[in-house]
Amino acid sequence: MTVKFSNVGVIGAGAMGRGIAQIAAQAGSQVLLLDSFEGAAARGREALLAQWRKQLDKGKLDAAQCDALASRVQAVESVQALAACDLVIEAVVEDLEVKRALFRELESVVSPSAILASNTSSLSVTAIATALKQPQRMAGFHFFNPVPLMKVVEVVAGFKTEPEVCRQLADYAGQMGHSAVQAKDTPGFIVNHAGRGYGTEALRIAGEGVADFATIDRILRDQAGFRLGPFELLDLTALDVSHPVMESIYRQYYEEPRFRPSVITAQRLAAGALGRKTGEGFYRYPDGEMQKPAEPPAPKVDTLPPVWVSPRAARRPELLRLVHALGAQLESGAAPSGAALILVAPLGFDVTTVAAVERLDATRTVGIDLMVDDAATRRRVLATNPATRRDMRDAAHALFASDGKAVSVIRDSGGFVTQRVVATIVNIASDMCQQGVCSPADLELAVRLGLGYPQGPLAMGDLYGPTNMLEVLFNLQTVYGDPRYRPSPWLRRRGALGLSLTHLEE
Ligand code: NAI
């Protein structure tokens, strides 16, 4: 198979430019690497050669392949040297004016048929392309760090980009071993837009004092299957990177409440507690190792009270079976006895509201999150209300930990932790489909490969039930009166009709 672009220019020999040059050479292109900082392109080339030599040592490449790759990358010193390129990918500093000036110069040098691409992550492709006489030949080509390992690239069509340009870039991405997804030129494109829900909602939950950072992380890892908790993730990416992205997307969407950043990260950024790289973030990193706070043990309770389960509990039959299997005495009366621990399992509502509406004795009422199938989760999450008695809280904790499963007890919150975070992610993704930012299939692929979520966000919504997602959001809106929870029309209609979130209209 012949390579789509035989001569590829890569401008910017930083982290991203090097990675792009590497996979372009591996695809079979001749690559010219350019950087305005003296010697940077040559150093970038050396780093690539070292990378390939390492693969040679590991037996992943043979000597001939290694030599061939080395011969395909050349460092150059001026834009003029890129004249013969049929594709140029720009990966210089994230500054609109710098990029525009560079593209203007580039267009005066390359042939009229050459395709021009920018690896920008947060600027408008349309705005960059206005520097060109032929804006139709330019597109976004947004890779992720580290490029060789993150196997997805967003192909972004600006206002005037010709569809053929996007098709060619997508084909080339395939030759580089990457999956291309097609995005409209909108703030955050696909991955950085879809990724807004996880951290911002977790920050809201922490900000309300519902649970500490480590508990929220444990819940989202163990209950919802995320590889990293939101605060572990923020520590890894560092707040000097992630907080400005939160602010930028919020502003670019004209202060859409779903993307509202948090004062928690603003303050921590100001304090320099950036994350792993500064040794202190949401966790501490003495000697580079994360220090995880110990988890509070389950209390010892000699005699468990009888348990009464609200008739309106989510997954009630399952909850009754679970309580029975754990050895508690179940009450079957229409109302709890005076001694009973009262269990509620709301979707979206907080325990306080449920206790008040169902006229339950709040001092004995504890909530459990049963949006998630108990058999499929490694952790159970309980919530108290401000009136819950200590003995009832301890009894519930001891009961649900009695088979060895981890239990977290949080303060009252609409939707517990997983419901809130998952519903927020699903709602943002649904709205991206509603706006036509990309196709549902590309959204799923981009999020799985770009963010490493356990499922694509629409599949996540289908897993927990589109109707449940809708119920969680409606009730969160009631509890918080906050427009950030208003359901997207995409979710509202599919949830109301019980359709899959990937369902397309005929
Ligand atoms: P970097 O700072 O590691 O490298 C940028 C390089 O561009 C530097 O070597 C600099 O000397 C060079 N440069 C600056 N102005 C130039 C000019 N006018 N002409 C030629 N070279 C110039 O930056 P990084 O992280 O590689 O990012 C580059 C681009 O990729 C930015 O647009 C960024 O937003 C985007 N991006 C970055 C990601 C990341 O995780 N670092 C992820 C996805 C996109």
Side-chain angles (χ1 to χ4, degrees), residues 377-398:
T377 179
R378 288 187 283 135
R379 180 174 294 272
R380 299 182 181 121
V381 179
L382 306 176
T384 54
N385 68 74
T388 306
R389 275 178 3 217
R390 162 69 65 161
D391 62 326
M392 287 294 158
R393 172 201 156 119
D394 285 352
H397 191 165

Side-chain angles (χ1 to χ4, degrees), residues 197-242:
Y198 194 46
T200 43
E201 193 59 23
L203 283 159
R204 291 263 307 171
I205 294 170
E208 283 169 25
V210 170
D212 58 29
F213 304 127
T215 301
I216 296 171
D217 278 351
R218 283 187 204 111
I219 292 172
L220 288 162
R221 270 195 329 254
D222 294 351
Q223 205 175 37
F226 287 93
R227 225 170 7 201
L228 287 179
F231 299 103
E232 291 167 312
L233 187 63
L234 285 167
D235 270 4
L236 196 66
T237 36
L239 288 187
D240 56 340
V241 175
S242 38

